[in-house]
């Protein structure tokens, strides 16, 4: 029996991720979170850098801890992070969120839709948790996304702007995917149709219309007119945020988001597309020799970067849990992904997940864990699986 078929088992995974980051990530000197924890033993290897995405993800995580009746300290931790997000990261003069800080001093004020989407997500989860100031952050983040990034002629968000809001020509899949996620969370937190309508538009436009140019697969990089830029970063296969190729993890992540959207919208294409994208993730991405999902691949499944990333597998776990509610066959993938992940990708001592291993599941140091991932992927997908697999009451013993 897969213990992660039970809410109790999943609740322990959820709690383990929270415990790994708390209290080590709480910084009362600078403020906010020191999210750079070594994934092997949890020591803080960079106490000064503050990344917008890491701050927002931390607020999201601890807010979910409150929502899920987790440890009592989750409320304090969420309040602590939200206060830093709403003050230190917010540039009141230019009305946008700063990307990177050294302590409280901005070092990179580039405006990324990706980062602003995570602020909306953080605000939505904090609002669900009843954190003071959360509603203000939801409204502010959504206003920036709509006023600065939304392009109604395309039905999608632009990707990047200068500190003074001059848009770059690059357009990207990832920012729109996480905007869709944040909009769904905002709808859950407020029950306001404006968020659901925008999430539906983004999902429909990207997963059905834009992907028609690449035979239904999700390309990552586009021109200003939303045409696939197939040569983008082809000389930088290990680029941190914009690698070339198709990402099985993002196919699984979109499948998850469509499954969530299908809980609120009845159009048949939503679940049909969710199944197609999950199937593409495992058909293209599964490594038959060593197991696990590749990071990036060609359209025929030939690996570009064959490394195994923890976030990829947690997203596939969340997607398979949600899809198994509609088709039992996906429960088999849920079990298979957990078995592989427990053997290789989850830290057996602390319960956090490793960022990246080689194809053969070796560690090629230095590999401390990404500075923008304070447990957001494993925590989110454990929580979604808890909601999907209702076989016993959740427990945080």
């Amino acid at each position: 029996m897969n213990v992660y078929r039970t809410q109790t088992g999943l609740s322990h995974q959820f709690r383990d991720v929270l415990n790994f980051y708390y209290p080590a990530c709480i910084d009362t000197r600078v403020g906010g979170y020191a999210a750079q924890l070594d994934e092997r033993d949890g020591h803080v290897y960079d106490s000064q850098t503050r990344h917008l995405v890491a701050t927002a993800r931390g607020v999201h995580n601890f807010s979910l801890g409150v929502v899920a009746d987790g440890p009592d300290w989750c409320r304090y931790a969420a309040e602590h992070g939200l206060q830093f997000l709403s003050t230190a990261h917010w540039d009141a003069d230019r009305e946008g969120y700063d990307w990177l800080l050294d302590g409280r001093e901005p070092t990179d004020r580039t405006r990324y839709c990706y980062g602003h989407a995570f602020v909306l997500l953080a605000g939505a989860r904090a609002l669900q948790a009843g954190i003071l100031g959360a509603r203000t952050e939801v409204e502010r983040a959504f206003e920036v996304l709509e006023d600065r990034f939304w392009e109604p002629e395309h039905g999608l968000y632009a990707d990047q702007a200068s500190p003074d809001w001059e848009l770059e020509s690059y357009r990207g899949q990832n920012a729109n995917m996480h905007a869709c996620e944040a909009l769904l969370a905002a709808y859950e937190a407020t029950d306001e149709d404006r968020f659901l309508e925008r999430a539906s538009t983004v999902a429909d436009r990207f997963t059905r219309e834009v992907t028609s140019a690449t035979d239904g697969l999700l390309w990552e990089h586009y021109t200003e007119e939303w045409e696939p830029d197939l040569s983008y970063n082809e000389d930088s296969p290990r680029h941190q945020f914009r690698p070339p190729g198709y990402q099985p993890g993002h196919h699984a992540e979109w499948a998850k988001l469509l499954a969530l959207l299908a809980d609120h919208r009845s159009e048949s294409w939503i679940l049909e597309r969710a199944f197609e994208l999950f199937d593409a993730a495992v058909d293209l991405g599964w490594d038959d020799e060593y197991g696990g999902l590749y990071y990036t691949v060609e359209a025929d499944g030939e690996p570009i970067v064959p490394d195994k990333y923890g976030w990829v597998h947690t997203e596939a776990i969340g997607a398979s849990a949600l899809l198994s509610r509609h088709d039992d066959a996906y429960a088999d993938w849920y079990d298979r992904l957990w078995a592989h992940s427990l053997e290789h990708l989850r830290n057996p001592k602390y319960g956090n997940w490793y960022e990246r291993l080689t194809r053969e599941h070796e560690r090629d140091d230095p590999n401390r864990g990404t500075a923008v991932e304070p447990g957001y992927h494993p925590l989110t997908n454990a929580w979604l699986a808890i909601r999907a697999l209702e076989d016993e009451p959740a427990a945080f013993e």
Side-chain angles (χ1 to χ4, degrees), residues 316-342:
I317 284 170
S320 58
L322 293 173
L323 292 175
S324 71
R325 299 175 303 170
H326 306 281
D327 186 335
D328 289 342
Y330 291 87
D332 293 336
W333 269 112
Y334 180 82
D335 291 339
R336 188 175 181 181
L337 287 157
W338 263 117
H340 178 83
S341 299
L342 291 172

Side-chain angles (χ1 to χ4, degrees), residues 225-383:
E225 297 302 317
W226 280 98
E227 297 172 351
D229 187 348
L230 299 177
S231 63
Y232 189 88
N233 270 352
E234 61 184 359
D235 296 328
S236 302
R238 294 184 179 273
H239 192 280
Q240 182 180 9
F241 291 111
R242 296 177 180 177
Y246 296 94
Q247 294 195 36
H250 283 162
H251 284 71
E253 198 162 359
W254 263 116
K256 178 191 81 175
L257 295 178
L258 291 175
L260 291 171
L261 179 61
D263 289 341
H264 307 297
R265 300 294 290 261
S266 60
E267 296 95 322
S268 61
W269 72 265
I270 300 174
L271 270 181
E272 291 170 3
R273 195 74 179 106
F275 290 129
E276 289 173 357
L277 291 174
F278 186 90
D279 293 347
V282 295
D283 290 345
L284 291 176
W286 190 260
D287 182 348
D288 290 326
E289 184 174 358
Y290 294 99
L293 292 163
Y294 296 127
Y295 180 45
T296 55
V297 299
E298 303 283 4
D300 61 1
E302 181 67 22
I304 299 174
V305 176
D307 297 350
K308 309 299 167 55
Y309 277 71
W311 74 262
V312 171
H313 294 77
T314 62
E315 289 300 325
I317 284 170
S320 58
L322 293 173
L323 292 175
S324 71
R325 299 175 303 170
H326 306 281
D327 186 335
D328 289 342
Y330 291 87
D332 293 336
W333 269 112
Y334 180 82
D335 291 339
R336 188 175 181 181
L337 287 157
W338 263 117
H340 178 83
S341 299
L342 291 172
E343 182 177 358
H344 299 292
L345 291 163
R346 183 178 178 272
N347 186 334
K349 184 174 182 180
Y350 296 105
N352 62 302
W353 288 58
Y354 300 132
E355 178 201 6
R356 178 183 61 82
L357 302 174
T358 68
R359 181 186 181 188
E360 298 82 5
H361 303 102
E362 301 295 330
R363 180 183 297 280
D364 53 349
D365 286 334
N367 184 14
R368 287 175 162 176
T370 176
V372 299
E373 170 53 303
Y376 147 81
H377 286 284
L379 192 85
T380 298
N381 289 289
W383 180 66

